[in-house]
Amino acid sequence: MRIVRDSSEDEMVAWFLRGELASDRFGPRLRAELAAAGLPGELLTDPDLGDEAANRARRDLLGETRGYGRQRDVFDEDFPAPADVHWIRAELSPVELARVRYIEYSYWNELSGGSRLPADAARRVRDGVRVFGVSNQRFVDAAQAVARGVRFAPLILAGPRLDDLVCVEGHLRLTGYALAGFPCSVECLVGTADTMGRWAR
C-alpha cells in the first residue's frame, strides 16, 4: 500500500455523498434531503473542504441519509466515533484490493457466496447468479468502464488495520474492478481505528 497523504473526516464525508449522489438506489433520497434542507447541489458536486459550515451541512446530510454520527445504518453503534478514525489517501495494489471485504449485508453476503470477497462475487456474476432478482448488468458496465481506463471516484474503506479493510462506500465499483480482474492499483480513502474490529468483522 502506498500512502499518498493524510485525509480527513470532512473529505471522507464529501466523497461518500458524491458516490451516493451517482447511485440509482441512494441518489433520489439524497437529492430530496438536499432540497428539503434548501441546500445547493454544489455542496456535493463541488465541495469546499475549507468551508466549515459546508462541512457541517454535509455531515448532517450523511447523518440523515446514512446514519453517520447517529449510530445507525452503515455507521451503526459498532462504528467508532468520528474523532477516533484516522483517514488517509492510499493506493492499493490489485492484491490488496482483492482482500477488501464487502460490508456485512445480506445482498453482498449472498452475491459473494458468504465470503464477502469481491473476487468470489465476480465469479458468481460470471456464472449468471442473480441475487434477489437484481440484474448484474451494472457490474458488467462497471467492469467494461475499468477495462476502458475510466477513473472512478476513490473507494472508501475502513478497518482496525491497513491490512484488514471493509468497503464502506463503493461496492459497485469494487465489484467492477473484481469482474475486470483487478487490472490496476486503485486510490482509496482509508479509515482506521483500534476500535473498528467489531464493525469490520
Side-chain angles (χ1 to χ4, degrees):
M1 181 182 296
R2 183 177 71 87
I3 297 175
V4 177
R5 61 171 172 80
D6 275 336
S7 183
S8 66
E9 173 193 7
D10 292 331
E11 185 175 19
M12 182 281 292
V13 169
W15 277 113
F16 194 110
L17 290 170
R18 286 185 71 172
E20 297 272 276
L21 192 64
S23 166
D24 291 339
R25 180 180 178 190
F26 299 109
R29 183 185 175 191
L30 184 54
R31 292 186 188 90
E33 292 289 347
L34 196 67
L39 296 170
E42 291 77 12
L43 184 75
L44 307 187
T45 59
D46 188 23
D48 177 1
L49 299 181
D51 183 337
E52 183 48 42
N55 289 332
R56 186 167 54 252
R58 281 188 290 270
R59 289 194 298 270
D60 289 345
L61 195 58
L62 188 56
E64 187 64 33
T65 58
R66 301 290 265 155
Y68 184 68
R70 304 184 187 186
Q71 298 189 326
R72 61 174 174 79
D73 202 343
V74 174
F75 304 97
D76 64 17
E77 64 274 7
D78 291 327
F79 197 87
D84 294 337
V85 184
H86 177 226
W87 292 98
I88 60 171
R89 291 286 290 252
E91 187 177 89
L92 273 67
S93 70
V95 171
E96 291 166 328
L97 198 63
R99 290 200 294 260
V100 173
R101 300 188 310 283
Y102 293 131
I103 199 168
E104 173 67 39
Y105 184 70
S106 58
Y107 177 84
W108 301 110
N109 293 348
E110 188 70 22
L111 187 67
S112 63
S115 73
R116 291 169 53 201
L117 292 173
D120 291 335
R123 279 192 289 273
R124 287 167 63 81
V125 168
R126 291 190 199 98
D127 289 343
V129 174
R130 286 168 55 118
V131 175
F132 306 145
V134 178
S135 170
N136 291 326
Q137 187 58 46
R138 57 190 176 138
F139 302 131
V140 174
D141 292 343
Q144 290 173 344
V146 170
R148 293 195 305 271
V150 173
R151 293 182 64 85
F152 291 139
L155 300 172
I156 301 177
L157 316 175
R161 303 183 312 276
L162 293 177
D163 63 351
D164 183 10
L165 297 172
V166 169
C167 187
V168 182
E169 193 282 323
H171 289 74
L172 169 58
R173 303 191 298 281
L174 179 59
T175 309
Y177 287 122
L179 198 55
F182 294 113
C184 58
S185 296
V186 174
E187 192 164 319
C188 305
L189 276 169
V190 181
T192 53
D194 292 340
T195 54
M196 191 82 76
R198 185 175 176 85
W199 178 86
R201 67 192 184 282

